[in-house]
Amino acid sequence: MATIYIDEDIGKDEPTQQGTEASPYKTVQFAYLQHPGEAQYLTRKSASADDEAAKEWKPAAKSALKKAVNYFEQQKKKAAREQELAIQRKKEEEERNKILEEAKKLSIEEDTSLPAPTKIKLDEVGDHVKLRNAKDPESKGTRVRVLGRVHRERKQKDVLFVTLRDGYGYMQVVISGKLAKTYDALTLTRETSMEIYGEMFEVPAGAHAPLNRELHADFYKINKEWKAAGGEEAITNRVAAGADPSVLMDLRHLTLRGENASAVMIVRDAVEFAFHTAYKETRLRKVSPPALVQTQVEGGATLFKFDYYGEPAFLTQSSQLYLETCLPSMGDVYCIEKSFRAEKSLTRRHLSEYTHIEAELDYINFDDLLSHLEHIICRVLELSMADPVIAGHIKTLNPEFKMPERPFKRMKYSDAIQWLVEHNIPNEEGQPHSFGDDIAEAAERRMTDIINRPIFLTHFPAEIKAFYMLRDKEDPRVTESVDCLMPGVGEIVGGSMRLDDYEQLMAACKREGLNPTDYYWYFDQRKYGSSPHGGYGLGLERFLAWLCKQHTVRDCCLYPRYMGRCTP
């Protein structure tokens, strides 16, 4: 009988060990797995111990051997089960391959004796889409033709249930009989496109399906190029729930097919349309200012600079200055365009490219500006929620959403500073806030979340605001400016009354170190008949992050651009 050695100190539980005195194992369990029941097992604590007795080889303890034997038996049974499963899987695979080979021989053709189908989108309803009542043999459902992608599928006996989606809605399809036995049906994968013909039925009592209806297929087509990858390359493997955010951004083109991402994009479309509608109702005219500029609106550090035919130019930070030039000839105006900020910021509410909704209003005062802002925000929400599909998406994404209470809370900057001090919310240096601080994002968000309603934060110090903002006549330290703050996301709108005096604007420009010559076209607005006016800019992605309760604005645009991300 062989002798196997186990040294708990210098031994190694590796197959390369020989179990000899010179090459011992570390544990009795591993030694028994390598040499089951065919040897005596000698152990020792340590070959380097000071205690000579510890260096002696002794028979392994009975309890240790018993545990090793039990573990060996467990592993033996496990290996046997795995072998059985492997044999079973191989058998099932052979049977499936046989079935698939037989399925390849099946072909299906459209029954031309049936009524010509009506092509519909998956969400279409109306008199042209009648439903058959299964309990009424006299009723007839409309025969339709639909196209969509497989959202999910399941098999129940010999019936295949497929849920299609086409970007407009979902439809449950019942595929049975020969149609469910074809090669295409047996190898159907999620995201595969299908063209399906069939009769519309009411859903049986107790069952559920989109719009309480289902399509009973009598024919379908799946072109070769319509088939989506399966197996390891299946979309559910590539964009699995809980995947690393950077991976999901790399695969944004696939992530957009998910229910959450697509719902946000559908709400975005509705909200943007609602802004256009709300502006038309209030008689604002749309303009399209340039994206390539040679002047700045905000700080120069946030400009994307590039060469423009040998001259320096920038991507626009804001269209405000151009909108102001339209007031004399067009009246109140707005635009929905891209703006660009080169801030090296990776916070959840910053983007390098974002959709900027901007408006300028002529012959108004500061109260008019605030009233207009409140009306536009609430009207956009009313218009969006009036569409039951959009309202459904919003309620799914943000179950706690409620229409904001009017009027919005109005709080002066000086009162906000006092509020932050009283609530022990420090500034970025960890000190109590004081007048003149630029309230940081974290403090602003905490204040908004605690108050838990929209806030018009007004009258900011002139030193922390842009040069073109009008100062308050009663307190020249501050400007007639406003930030609209929303719970959960913070600032979504920034606006102000604009300086309408030529000399004051010129002085403010020089204080900021700007060259007045570069802004000649802007100063001419004051030189050739000025007027009291004001405006604002609203970040669409921030508005959506609040409305749809998204953690980051990155999930509120199609392909987000931020520091380190300019693909896909």
Side-chain angles (χ1 to χ4, degrees):
M1 180 180 289
T3 300
I4 304 301
Y5 294 87
I6 300 105
D7 189 312
E8 296 177 8
D9 183 31
I10 65 171
K12 296 179 181 178
D13 284 346
E14 297 175 357
T16 54
Q17 294 294 98
Q18 299 170 4
T20 63
E21 190 171 356
S23 179
Y25 296 116
K26 186 176 183 66
T27 64
V28 175
Q29 183 173 282
F30 189 84
Y32 196 89
L33 285 174
Q34 308 305 309
H35 306 276
E38 61 184 46
Q40 67 170 340
Y41 306 92
L42 300 181
T43 69
R44 68 179 177 185
K45 295 291 183 183
S46 174
S48 59
D50 294 334
D51 184 2
E52 290 299 321
K55 297 182 180 181
E56 295 180 9
W57 295 101
K58 298 178 182 179
K62 289 183 179 181
S63 60
L65 268 176
K66 185 177 181 180
K67 287 181 179 179
V69 171
N70 289 339
Y71 183 74
F72 172 77
E73 292 300 327
Q74 291 172 5
Q75 294 302 108
K76 187 177 178 181
K77 290 178 181 178
K78 183 179 178 181
R81 284 198 302 269
E82 289 178 351
Q83 187 175 7
E84 289 176 5
L85 288 172
I87 293 171
Q88 183 179 340
R89 282 194 295 268
K90 184 178 179 181
K91 184 179 178 181
E92 289 174 352
E93 186 177 351
E94 289 174 351
E95 290 177 355
R96 177 170 170 77
N97 287 337
K98 185 178 179 182
I99 292 171
L100 290 177
E101 287 303 315
E102 289 299 315
K104 288 179 180 178
K105 299 174 184 178
L106 288 177
S107 61
I108 56 175
E109 294 181 358
E110 183 185 2
D111 185 347
T112 55
S113 68
L114 294 172
T118 300
K119 183 181 177 182
I120 65 169
K121 295 288 187 183
L122 299 184
D123 67 334
E124 274 190 53
V125 294
D127 293 339
H128 65 300
V129 187
K130 293 182 172 62
L131 306 182
R132 178 174 179 176
N133 186 333
K135 294 182 179 180
D136 181 2
E138 299 298 320
S139 69
K140 292 287 184 181
T142 304
R143 186 168 185 257
V144 300
R145 169 177 166 246
V146 299
L147 291 99
R149 288 181 171 82
V150 177
H151 183 64
R152 61 173 66 93
E153 51 89 17
R154 63 182 174 87
K155 197 160 188 179
Q156 186 175 313
K157 294 184 178 180
D158 294 327
V159 179
L160 184 62
F161 292 89
V162 177
T163 300
L164 288 185
R165 80 163 197 284
D166 65 355
Y168 294 93
Y170 297 85
M171 181 177 287
Q172 180 168 287
V173 181
V174 181
I175 300 175
S176 59
K178 182 180 177 182
L179 297 179
K181 298 177 182 179
T182 67
Y183 182 80
D184 283 338
L186 296 177
T187 59
L188 194 62
T189 53
R190 184 170 176 175
E191 294 301 316
T192 290
S193 289
M194 301 182 73
E195 180 179 352
I196 305 179
Y197 299 65
E199 186 179 357
M200 297 299 300
F201 275 67
E202 287 183 359
V203 174
H208 300 281
L211 298 177
N212 293 315
R213 64 184 185 176
E214 59 188 14
L215 173 63
H216 287 221
D218 58 55
F219 178 67
Y220 63 81
K221 295 178 186 177
I222 301 177
N223 292 345
K224 181 180 178 181
E225 57 272 19
W226 293 0
K227 292 186 177 182
E232 292 183 3
E233 284 295 302
I235 191 169
T236 48
N237 291 330
R238 296 199 68 192
V239 290
D244 185 276
S246 64
V247 172
L248 295 179
M249 282 301 170
D250 288 337
L251 299 175
R252 182 68 174 163
H253 56 293
L254 298 180
T255 307
L256 286 167
R257 299 190 182 199
E259 289 185 44
N260 188 80
S262 61
V264 173
M265 291 300 102
I266 290 169
V267 172
R268 180 187 171 116
D269 166 64
V271 167
E272 192 166 337
F273 181 76
F275 269 104
H276 285 294
T277 302
Y279 282 134
K280 291 303 177 185
E281 288 177 351
T282 48
R283 301 189 67 194
L284 272 74
R285 292 191 169 102
K286 183 180 182 298
V287 295
S288 298
L292 310 182
V293 300
Q294 290 186 303
T295 51
Q296 67 185 55
V297 182
E298 305 291 347
T302 66
L303 287 164
F304 282 108
K305 188 176 182 179
F306 65 95
D307 179 83
Y308 186 74
Y309 303 109
E311 293 184 359
F314 314 98
L315 294 178
T316 185
Q317 301 164 310
S318 166
S319 298
Q320 175 205 320
L321 305 189
Y322 292 99
L323 290 180
E324 288 188 56
T325 68
C326 299
L327 295 178
S329 58
M330 298 181 69
D332 301 338
V333 291
Y334 79 99
C335 70
I336 301 179
E337 303 285 349
K338 296 290 188 180
S339 282
F340 305 86
R341 297 292 175 92
E343 292 172 284
K344 293 184 177 180
S345 175
L346 288 173
T347 75
R348 63 190 182 97
R349 64 175 201 165
H350 282 95
L351 291 167
S352 297
E353 176 190 63
Y354 68 98
T355 300
H356 210 174
I357 299 174
E358 299 181 88
E360 290 294 318
L361 311 171
D362 208 5
Y363 299 110
I364 63 168
N365 58 36
F366 191 49
D367 283 337
D368 294 333
L369 178 62
L370 298 183
S371 297
H372 164 87
L373 260 176
E374 186 176 283
H375 169 77
I376 288 295
I377 290 171
C378 292
R379 184 59 181 146
V380 165
L381 294 173
E382 289 170 0
L383 290 166
S384 300
M385 295 299 289
D387 184 329
V389 173
I390 302 305
H393 284 311
I394 292 171
K395 286 296 184 181
T396 299
L397 293 163
N398 185 3
E400 300 170 359
F401 173 75
K402 293 180 181 178
M403 291 291 285
E405 182 182 337
R406 299 177 70 174
F408 292 0
K409 182 177 179 62
R410 300 189 183 191
M411 177 186 283
K412 289 188 175 182
Y413 165 88
S414 56
D415 295 330
I417 292 293
Q418 185 61 35
W419 189 97
L420 292 168
V421 171
E422 291 174 355
H423 287 76
N424 297 314
I425 299 175
N427 61 21
E428 289 187 301
E429 286 73 40
Q431 301 299 316
H433 279 85
S434 60
F435 191 91
D437 285 349
D438 194 352
I439 301 174
E441 173 191 345
E444 178 185 89
R445 195 166 64 245
R446 282 189 64 190
M447 179 178 71
T448 311
D449 290 349
I450 291 171
I451 294 174
N452 196 31
R453 59 181 293 195
I455 302 171
F456 280 146
L457 191 57
T458 66
H459 298 88
F460 290 86
E463 287 71 21
I464 62 174
K465 285 298 182 180
F467 73 95
Y468 51 75
M469 293 189 179
L470 183 67
R471 296 195 182 223
D472 186 351
K473 291 181 175 62
E474 296 181 1
D475 185 358
R477 298 178 307 158
V478 300
T479 54
E480 290 191 337
S481 53
V482 59
D483 284 353
C484 182
L485 313 180
M486 289 294 187
V489 70
E491 179 199 345
I492 62 167
V493 179
S496 76
M497 294 299 292
R498 316 309 192 189
L499 270 171
D500 51 24
D501 181 89
Y502 179 86
E503 297 299 333
Q504 290 179 8
L505 184 60
M506 183 70 75
C509 184
K510 289 180 179 178
R511 279 197 306 271
E512 293 294 320
L514 302 175
N515 183 0
T517 304
D518 295 336
Y519 294 84
Y520 73 94
W521 52 275
Y522 183 63
F523 288 115
D524 276 355
Q525 302 308 306
R526 279 71 178 170
K527 189 176 181 180
Y528 291 93
S530 192
S531 60
H533 65 283
Y536 57 89
L538 180 148
L540 179 59
E541 288 78 13
R542 288 191 187 180
F543 186 89
L544 288 165
W546 165 70
L547 178 60
C548 298
K549 203 174 185 179
Q550 298 300 292
H551 176 70
T552 170
V553 293
R554 298 174 188 176
D555 292 333
C556 297
C557 53
L558 201 63
Y559 289 95
R561 298 293 184 251
Y562 50 92
M563 188 174 70
R565 169 70 60 184
C566 198
T567 188

